[in-house]
Amino acid sequence: MSSGQLRIYLGAAPGVGKTYAMLEEAQRRAERGTDVVIGFVETHGRRHTTGMIGDLELVPRRTMEYRGSTFTEMDIDAILARRPEVVLVDELAHTNVPGCRNAKRWQDVQELLEAGIHVLSTLNIQHLESLNDVVEQITGVPQRETVPDEVVRRAEQVELVDMTPEALRRRMAHGNVYRPEKVDAALGNYFRVGNLTALRELALIWLADKVDEQLDRYRTAHDINATWEARERVVVALTGGPEGETLLRRAARIADRARSADLLAVHVARNDGLTGADPALLARQRILVESLGGTYHQVIGDDVPTALLDFARGVNATQLVLGASRRGRLAQLFSRGVGVTTTAESGTIDVHLVTHHEANLRWRFTVGRSALSRSRRIAGWITAIVGLPLLTLLLSLGGELALATDILFFLAAVVAVALIGGMWPALFTAVGGFVLLNYFFIPPLRMWTIAERENLLALLVFLVVAISVSATVDQAARRTRQAAGARAEAQTLAAVAGSVLRGDRPLTALLERLRETFGLVSVTLLEAVPDAQRSPDRRQDPGAWTVAASVGTEPSRSPGDGDVDVPVDDTLTMVLRGHPLAAADRRVLEAFAAQAAIALRQERLTVQVAAAVPVAEADRMRTALLNAVSHDLRTPLASAIAAVTSLRSTDVSWSDEDRRELLATADESLERLHRLVINLLDMSRLQAGVLGVSLQAVGLEEIVPWALDELGEPGRAVRLRIPVDLAAVSADPGLLERVLANVVGNALRYSPPDRPPLLTASEHGGLVELRIIDYGPGIPETEWDQVFLPFQRLGDYTNATGVGLGLALARGLTEAMAGSLRPEATPGGGLTMVLSLPAVESERQ
């Protein structure tokens, strides 16, 4: 049996018309003869949405009891038994009442799809799991009901139901979204124009990414390699040279001109791992491209143009930015170069060749550092200078040999010198051998002329072969040295990465690893003082620098204090003290320095985030407090004011019974208000760490009755099983009474009338445990931690009142007395709160 198809109507905010659009589609399908039923649709009292239901068949909902309240949920068993072609399931992110087969509605939808039933559903962008924190940051409202992104991405169709913020606000003002009494608050909070604009942009961007995924799957399935310019993507090729920053900024400007274009930087590394790219420059360019809003990528390939174009076509790039060639005109005669080759083979991809300062350099002749050690080069020159005359003498004394034999001996000498001393001694040997062969072994002897053409040709072939062999041997030695150096660098950088990942402070771990690797006394990362004068003596001026990080015994105070200094950027410099380092180690040092700058930035961001967390938490608490206080304090206050105002009124003649009832209402409201204020004050003292606690030996047999008396008539129904010989506990009597009153009051609220809570106590392991057992509906284990959050109520399933401080305050007070409060499941259903306090040893008979 094939699976059903899921179609989701996605909106930026409530009220944009997702349910209406879903019902409209259902009516169209029903008119075409499709078997369509409504599994669950929430109209929220909106008359236009209700009218769109029309004569569509509704599957009866399932009625459930939870914590004394009645709820209706989608009856998935009835839908499976009915087996329609299409079913409408509104509010995909909804959390089901505990006791349903699945915890979330999207899990119900998965079950319907597996049964082969097509599903139409709705979802707001704020309910996507990946955007949960972003939406909370924008709106200040946490979203506890979320749907995994993968569930939505697997949908066959996601249709955006879009509406401008102004239009949505007008719809709300006309009463088409919320009831009139809620409109003003909604427009001034969640439905502000800025919030709606940001949510709309999130929805558009997320949907655009999903469309990109669908396009990529289609192109892959149909083996389409040509570029489709559905969206601008600018790829910039980095060689690891100094021109990279120029190319990146140029590519960023190109991307900016194309609205919402993607910027991607790519570096092509060779298969053998031997590259001329500077790792420090690549690291800095990676930081730059990320700061410009782009992404960095690295691919491997021997043929750079092919690898570059394969990557560009793989990401469906529309534009490619390359640097102008740094090669001279002579080199371009033998090879067209990366830029020309890429342009010729780019097809529909636009190629930009950007000039830079490196491209303006004309003929440059550079002699690279020899791949061999100095001692070997000296040995090669000695072998060449001594060996050529000696070989000539031996061949002259050895009798008449054929010219071919003489040439082979001289060629062997060239190879030997190349193996010992490299290319330049070997070239000297080749030219010297050419001269000696001509003078001593090619007729006419002892003359610089050559009589026969064949001898001239043989001599020229010898010279060409000798030079080729010299260059080949030297290149092999150079490659071997590069491979060994690359391997050493890779091992060093891998060790650095490991130490950084394992360390709690990546910057310190990185600097310490550098100090150990090169045997240094200290490694210091200096940062320039912003207002310091940029004078020639700045390198020697300690006042122009501050120590950002340092390891070792003698930190440097300025770049001039160290043996080696490596500038990272305009403000950062890494200074090494201990001994000078070889020039060959400079590449690794620059890579260390670039990573140190990244680690410093990450540490500072971590500190900023840590500093922002308390502020964000305080803001969240303040918002929650205002939301709670605005209702829960205002209600008893309004009741008390109404009662007192009625009593003072002279327009009505109140009977004695009415007066007593009004006084009782005022007394009850003021008492409730008093308890709320006390709880709020205690919670604020707990969070500020200034709550006074006076610990002493307290007997539970004394405190428990006091707490039950505080609860009034309901407290007398609680059953007690407290041993008479139970040890006393170390606690503050007043605080312990408050804890018990809050926890037992909570248990009474959710226990059925015929099964009141039970309190049992026991002692073991130096602790006294008091269990408050209720037999209500209980709480899912996944939500146990949430019941202890301040201003948090499981209001989705209950009719609880209050600011949600009871259990949060109870746990805080218990922990202030060195105890603990934790939930457990009650066997047979319900919730047990376990209050643990230290036992106090006493003399017992």
Side-chain angles (χ1 to χ4, degrees), residues 219-268:
R219 284 161 51 85
T220 301
H222 293 78
D223 196 23
I224 299 174
N225 296 320
T227 300
W228 285 6
E229 298 184 16
R231 182 176 181 179
E232 289 288 341
R233 285 186 175 85
V234 181
V235 174
V236 53
L238 300 178
T239 64
E243 74 281 358
E245 294 187 7
T246 302
L247 301 182
L248 285 172
R249 291 189 171 91
R250 176 62 173 158
R253 291 195 296 271
I254 294 173
D256 286 341
R257 286 199 295 268
R259 287 283 187 151
S260 70
D262 295 333
L263 176 63
L264 301 89
V266 60
H267 170 67
V268 180

Side-chain angles (χ1 to χ4, degrees), residues 35-46:
D35 183 15
V36 182
V37 301
I38 296 178
F40 190 98
V41 165
E42 185 60 70
T43 64
H44 296 286
R46 300 164 189 166

Side-chain angles (χ1 to χ4, degrees), residues 319-352:
Q319 303 189 60
L320 185 59
V321 178
L322 302 173
S325 177
R326 291 179 291 178
R327 300 159 69 247
R329 293 181 180 179
L330 182 61
Q332 293 180 22
L333 293 176
F334 297 97
S335 173
R336 295 190 300 174
V338 173
V340 177
T341 304
T342 303
T343 303
E345 299 176 0
S346 62
T348 58
I349 302 177
D350 296 336
V351 179
H352 302 264

